[in-house]
């Protein structure tokens, strides 16, 4: 897997973490130009009344998060956006936010949703996530330039979140709800999808390294159930690539069974065979990292 990651992300001469950091920086810089064009145009298609209705539903936590994000990125959102937040978390806007300000608010809202999920308040997280989707839909309709920028580029935090999401693909909480995963991935930008694949490949690598016994157990951990296969399939943009990956994993599993059945040589020979088989698995898992698809 590490070899596949190195090949996909620039070669073994560049450490993985540094390569990802460079990719994020490049994407972020390109995205900034695209987003700035959208912000300059503001509401290209006019200001819809739907924003007034959405503003009444924005929680105070989202606005506070937006202010923190903007401050960290050198934006004076707190001074630009005149809004008050009462003790109950209700927000009152003194004026309509611009597309730029809504951009930070939607990021703050997504952070609030993530925080709710982590805190175990799933219903709140789901409600925030639904509101976030509505807000993005309104912004895309009001600003085609914003929609285009969002489809191609992501902020640094978006892509780091996507890497983490990729590492969660094989968790039971994800594999049990593959339909929701498909909808989630469909809403990601191209850059985020790349990062999800990176995260998945890194998770596969960790699983392999944590399994010192038979390579067959590795296959089961990664690809042993229909739920897992469906979750991995959702990450692939190309059905043919996935089918090739699935076939190779099946062949590896059968080969391992043959090793286990006919092994009669020395322990050293068997271990060498298992190591070779593990290498084949790593190569197969590397298919996930084919960012050219």
């Amino acid at each position: 897997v590490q070899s596949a990651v190195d090949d996909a992300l620039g070669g073994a001469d560049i450490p993985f973490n540094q390569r990802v950091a460079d990719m994020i920086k490049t994407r972020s810089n390109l995205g900034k130009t695209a987003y700035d064009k959208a912000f300059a145009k503001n509401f290209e298609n006019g200001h819809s009344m739907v924003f007034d209705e959405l503003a009444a539903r924005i929680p105070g936590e989202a606005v506070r998060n937006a202010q923190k994000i903007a401050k960290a990125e050198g934006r004076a959102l707190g001074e630009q956006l005149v809004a008050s937040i009462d003790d109950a978390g209700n927000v009152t806007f003194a004026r309509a936010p611009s597309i730029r300000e809504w951009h930070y608010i939607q990021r703050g809202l997504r952070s609030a949703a993530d925080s709710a999920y982590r805190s175990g308040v799933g219903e709140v997280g789901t409600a925030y996530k639904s509101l976030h989707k509505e807000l993005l839909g309104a912004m895309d309709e009001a600003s085609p330039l914003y929609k285009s920028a969002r489809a191609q580029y992501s902020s640094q935090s978006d892509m780091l979140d996507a890497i983490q999401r990729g590492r969660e693909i094989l968790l039971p909480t994800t594999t049990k709800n593959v339909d929701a995963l498909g909808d989630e991935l469909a809403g990601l930008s191209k850059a985020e999808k790349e990062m999800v694949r990176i995260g998945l490949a890194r998770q596969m690598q960790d699983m392999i390294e944590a399994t010192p016994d038979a390579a067959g157990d590795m296959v089961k951990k990664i690809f042993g159930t229909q739920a897992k296969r469906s979750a991995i399939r959702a990450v692939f943009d190309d059905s043919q690539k996935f089918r090739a990956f699935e076939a190779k994993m099946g062949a590896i599993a059968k080969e391992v069974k043959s090793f286990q059945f006919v092994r009669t040589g020395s322990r050293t020979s068997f271990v060498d065979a298992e190591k070779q088989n593990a290498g084949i698995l790593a190569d197969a898992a590397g298919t996930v990292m084919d960012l050219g698809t």
Side-chain angles (χ1 to χ4, degrees):
V1 172
Q2 186 63 59
S3 176
V5 170
D6 289 339
D7 290 343
L9 297 179
D13 56 317
I14 304 176
F16 173 82
N17 290 341
Q18 183 60 51
R19 183 57 184 159
V20 171
D22 290 345
M23 181 186 291
I24 290 176
K25 182 177 180 180
T26 299
R27 290 281 189 180
S28 184
N29 290 339
L30 292 172
K32 182 180 183 301
T33 300
Y35 277 118
D36 283 345
K37 289 181 179 179
F39 297 153
K41 286 283 187 179
N42 205 18
F43 293 92
E44 296 174 75
N45 292 342
H47 186 280
S48 171
M49 293 296 291
V50 70
F51 286 101
D52 296 333
E53 190 270 334
L54 289 170
R57 297 161 56 193
I58 298 296
E61 184 180 359
V63 177
R64 294 191 185 98
N65 290 342
Q67 292 171 338
K68 293 176 182 178
I69 294 171
K71 183 177 181 180
E73 294 183 355
R75 307 281 189 182
L77 182 64
E79 298 174 7
Q80 298 172 11
L81 179 60
V82 181
S84 59
I85 306 173
D86 62 23
D87 294 337
N90 299 312
V91 181
T92 301
F93 291 99
R95 62 173 176 79
S98 65
I99 286 292
R100 180 193 298 274
E101 290 162 342
W102 275 123
H103 171 70
Y104 281 102
I105 292 172
Q106 65 88 7
R107 291 172 63 185
L109 182 58
R110 190 190 62 192
S111 296
D114 291 342
S115 177
Y117 282 124
R118 287 194 298 270
S119 300
V121 193
E123 291 186 2
V124 175
T126 299
Y128 284 174
K129 187 175 180 179
S130 178
L131 178 57
H132 179 255
K133 185 177 181 179
E134 288 185 56
L135 177 55
L136 286 179
M139 295 176 68
D140 287 348
E141 185 174 347
S143 174
L145 280 176
Y146 181 80
K147 180 179 181 179
S148 176
R150 193 169 69 82
Q152 294 298 323
Y153 305 106
S154 304
S155 66
Q156 293 186 23
S157 59
D158 291 340
M159 287 189 280
L160 292 174
D161 288 346
I163 291 177
Q164 179 58 36
R165 189 68 183 98
R167 297 186 73 96
E168 298 169 352
I169 295 297
L170 295 177
L171 294 180
T173 52
T174 301
T175 58
K176 289 180 180 178
N177 196 358
V178 176
D179 289 340
L181 174 63
D183 293 340
E184 178 185 347
L185 295 177
L188 298 183
S189 69
K190 180 180 179 181
E192 287 174 301
K193 289 178 181 178
E194 290 178 359
M195 292 301 170
V196 169
R197 287 192 286 271
I198 289 173
L200 175 58
R202 293 295 286 185
Q203 182 62 18
M204 286 180 174
Q205 178 190 4
D206 289 348
M207 293 169 71
I208 290 172
E209 291 178 350
T211 308
D213 49 3
D217 291 337
M218 298 178 189
V219 174
K220 290 178 182 178
K221 281 186 177 183
I222 293 174
F223 221 67
T225 67
Q226 180 60 47
K228 288 183 178 180
R229 290 192 292 274
S230 296
I232 296 172
R233 169 66 188 89
V235 177
F236 279 78
D237 288 335
D238 188 306
S239 296
Q240 185 175 357
K241 289 285 187 180
F242 173 75
R243 286 194 295 270
F245 180 54
E246 183 178 32
K248 195 163 190 177
M249 286 298 241
I252 291 169
K254 290 179 180 178
E255 190 172 347
V256 169
K257 288 181 180 179
S258 297
F259 273 128
Q260 293 170 339
F261 182 75
V262 304
R263 63 188 186 196
T264 56
S266 68
R267 176 62 185 166
T268 301
S269 297
F270 176 67
V271 170
D272 288 342
E274 293 292 76
K275 287 181 178 179
Q276 179 184 12
N277 207 46
I280 297 172
L281 171 62
D283 178 63
T287 304
V288 176
M289 294 307 304
D290 186 355
L291 303 185
T293 62

